[in-house]
Amino acid sequence: MSKRTQNVPLPHLANEKELNQFLLDALGKNLEQAIRSTVSILVKTEMRGLREELWKEKQEALVFNGTYPRHLISPAGKVAGIPIPRFRSGNADLELASMKVFGEERGRFNELVAHLHLAGVSQRKVNRFCKNLFGKAVAPSTTKLVFEELLEAEAFQVNKTFLIDAPSTFLFVDGIWETVKSEKTGETRRRVTLAVLGMNEDNTKQLLGFRLAFEEDEASWKKLLEELIHRGLDLAKTKIVISDGGTGCLSALERIMPEVPIQSCIAHRYRNVLKHTGFRHKPEMGQELKRLTQASSKEDFLKQVGDIQKRWQTIAPDAIKSLLWNLKLSLTYFDFPKELWSKLRTTNALERTFREVRARTRVHYDHYESPQSSDKYHNATFGNINKTYFHVPSPSSYTQ
């Protein structure tokens, strides 16, 4: 066997962590070389096109005269020594042509990190990857600027889409709390982005709309629901609304759609129960609630709740009070076919969408600079999720 075809032995690695690190380092080196070659080829291809156009227009022949090294500085770090072809010419404009083309290719490459971010790759993962690939992590401020430019360029318009054919058999309503800076006072405070997700029985989904509010109160939820109706959402098709159980949301639902059954999310209820349970008893109470979720019917559920109440009334009275409060709203899902129970008893479908938002914001956004910035960010994120994961009806703009 020749030396060229011999397998290169792996170094001795003590554990799986070292193996993963070795593979990541090797991948990084290969990708850096691939980027260097790819950008060089792209620039040369553009230069060939420029040469052909110049020949057609002025009958002036140009030939390549070697290359010169350029460094690509991007949000992902630095790729040094990319060979950029140049023309043999004394014309200053042509001497700058390859630099211009290189700048365009660099601009496209700069969008890579922003698109990764929009697609759901967290800033922490981008940092870790780029540190291994380029020897330095992404500067959060740089990625923030690039991503904001992307938000300006994209037109997802979640809140300006017709909802006539949107999924609406099941509606999930909940809010995500984040920190937003006031443009008037300059102070930051916690604000909530209220959101509504629609789903049909065939599992098609769409984030229908959202609204930044100061509280999860009745007026804010009522305003959001009215906006959805104004954009064409047909609530006559809605069979159930799954809510986080907040009184403001429930009051708004009662006013806007009084005939539609409401399911109060049992996951939210269970979290409240555990919050009122002493630390020492949390594991045992958690097992009780887990068995409760496996109830085979509404009667079985209520029987188990009665047993839990007997066992825990004196040990954790506040937890039992939280479990029993408005309990009937958490039993609505039993009125639907059993195969739908796991979908309808919690707001998890919407919580998964919120996790997509948090994955993008938790590292390099400690707060939004303004309500407008928050709206743009959520619009792009929710819109991208709709385009990528959820069913979206034919795109059409809605105008006030």
Side-chain angles (χ1 to χ4, degrees), residues 20-78:
N20 290 336
Q21 187 63 47
F22 171 78
L23 294 175
L24 186 58
D25 291 341
L27 175 63
K29 293 176 182 177
N30 290 335
L31 281 177
E32 183 176 354
Q33 182 58 41
I35 291 170
R36 183 178 290 106
S37 301
T38 300
V39 173
S40 179
I41 291 170
L42 288 172
V43 172
K44 192 166 185 176
T45 301
E46 294 287 342
M47 299 293 284
R48 286 198 184 104
L50 181 61
R51 181 174 61 179
E52 292 174 1
E53 290 179 7
L54 192 61
W55 173 257
K56 291 178 181 178
E57 293 178 3
K58 300 182 179 180
Q59 299 297 304
E60 183 177 349
L62 294 173
V63 295
F64 289 113
N65 184 27
T67 63
Y68 62 94
R70 297 290 293 178
H71 304 318
L72 191 155
I73 306 298
S74 76
K78 178 179 179 180

Side-chain angles (χ1 to χ4, degrees), residues 232-256:
L233 186 65
D234 186 3
L235 297 181
K237 299 178 181 178
T238 303
K239 296 181 179 180
I240 186 173
V241 179
I242 301 89
S243 162
D244 63 353
T247 54
C249 181
L250 294 177
S251 298
L253 291 171
E254 189 175 27
R255 284 183 177 273
I256 298 296

Side-chain angles (χ1 to χ4, degrees), residues 173-175 177 194 215-219 221 225 241-254 262-266 268-269 272 325-326 329-330 347:
V173 296
D174 201 353
W177 284 89
L194 310 177
E215 302 290 344
E216 292 190 74
D217 56 4
E218 178 183 344
W221 276 113
L225 293 170
V241 179
I242 301 89
S243 162
D244 63 353
T247 54
C249 181
L250 294 177
S251 298
L253 291 171
E254 189 175 27
I262 296 175
Q263 166 69 28
S264 180
C265 174
I266 63 172
H268 282 78
R269 182 179 296 275
N272 287 332
W325 182 82
N326 217 1
L329 286 183
S330 288
T347 57

Side-chain angles (χ1 to χ4, degrees), residues 48-335:
R48 286 198 184 104
L50 181 61
R51 181 174 61 179
E52 292 174 1
E53 290 179 7
L54 192 61
W55 173 257
K56 291 178 181 178
E57 293 178 3
K58 300 182 179 180
Q59 299 297 304
E60 183 177 349
L62 294 173
V63 295
F64 289 113
N65 184 27
T67 63
Y68 62 94
R70 297 290 293 178
H71 304 318
L72 191 155
I73 306 298
S74 76
K78 178 179 179 180
V79 181
I82 298 179
I84 302 301
R86 61 187 174 190
F87 287 132
R88 180 187 299 160
S89 171
N91 188 321
D93 292 336
L94 293 177
E95 289 293 332
L96 294 173
S98 61
M99 292 180 63
K100 178 181 177 182
V101 174
F102 173 71
E104 293 173 353
E105 296 303 332
R106 178 176 60 185
R108 295 189 189 107
F109 185 74
N110 283 354
E111 293 182 2
L112 172 64
V113 171
H115 280 287
L116 285 174
H117 186 54
L118 186 61
V121 179
S122 70
Q123 182 67 28
R124 183 177 290 109
K125 291 179 180 178
V126 171
N127 275 345
R128 185 173 57 194
F129 174 76
C130 292
K131 189 172 183 179
N132 284 278
L133 178 56
F134 302 110
K136 61 179 291 187
V138 181
S141 59
T142 304
T143 307
K144 176 180 177 180
L145 291 175
V146 174
F147 187 69
E148 286 181 345
E149 291 176 1
L150 180 67
L151 299 193
E152 294 289 349
E154 297 286 355
F156 297 106
Q157 300 302 321
V158 172
N159 285 332
K160 292 187 178 181
T161 304
F162 278 125
L163 300 177
I164 295 175
D165 298 320
S168 60
T169 306
F170 315 126
L171 296 183
F172 299 82
V173 296
D174 201 353
I176 178 173
W177 284 89
E178 290 159 324
T179 305
V180 181
K181 187 176 182 179
S182 170
E183 290 184 308
K184 296 181 179 179
T185 67
E187 298 178 346
T188 58
R189 63 170 294 176
R190 297 285 286 172
R191 295 186 65 174
V192 61
T193 297
L194 310 177
V196 179
L197 176 76
M199 179 191 292
N200 284 341
E201 292 187 25
D202 61 359
N203 209 38
T204 56
K205 308 171 189 174
Q206 182 183 343
L207 197 293
L208 303 176
F210 66 94
R211 180 180 180 82
L212 183 66
F214 287 100
E215 302 290 344
E216 292 190 74
D217 56 4
E218 178 183 344
S220 299
W221 276 113
K222 184 171 178 288
K223 181 68 175 176
L224 176 57
L225 293 170
E226 288 174 341
E227 289 171 356
L228 299 183
I229 295 171
H230 187 51
R231 286 163 48 208
L233 186 65
D234 186 3
L235 297 181
K237 299 178 181 178
T238 303
K239 296 181 179 180
I240 186 173
V241 179
I242 301 89
S243 162
D244 63 353
T247 54
C249 181
L250 294 177
S251 298
L253 291 171
E254 189 175 27
R255 284 183 177 273
I256 298 296
M257 41 204 321
E259 303 301 324
V260 179
I262 296 175
Q263 166 69 28
S264 180
C265 174
I266 63 172
H268 282 78
R269 182 179 296 275
Y270 291 173
R271 284 198 288 268
N272 287 332
V273 171
L274 291 173
K275 184 172 67 174
H276 291 95
T277 303
F279 180 80
R280 185 163 61 93
H281 299 294
K282 284 185 188 293
E284 188 178 354
M285 178 62 81
Q287 291 299 317
E288 294 269 24
L289 297 176
K290 183 177 180 180
R291 287 191 291 271
L292 188 59
T293 306
Q294 298 169 354
S296 59
S297 65
K298 186 181 299 187
E299 293 73 24
D300 183 25
F301 189 100
L302 291 173
K303 180 181 181 302
Q304 291 192 47
V305 167
D307 295 337
I308 293 173
Q309 182 179 8
K310 292 177 183 178
R311 288 192 292 270
W312 291 90
Q313 184 64 58
T314 57
I315 301 173
D318 290 340
I320 296 303
K321 182 179 179 180
S322 178
L323 177 63
L324 297 178
W325 182 82
N326 217 1
L327 182 61
K328 63 180 181 180
L329 286 183
S330 288
L331 306 178
T332 311
Y333 74 93
F334 284 112
D335 298 331

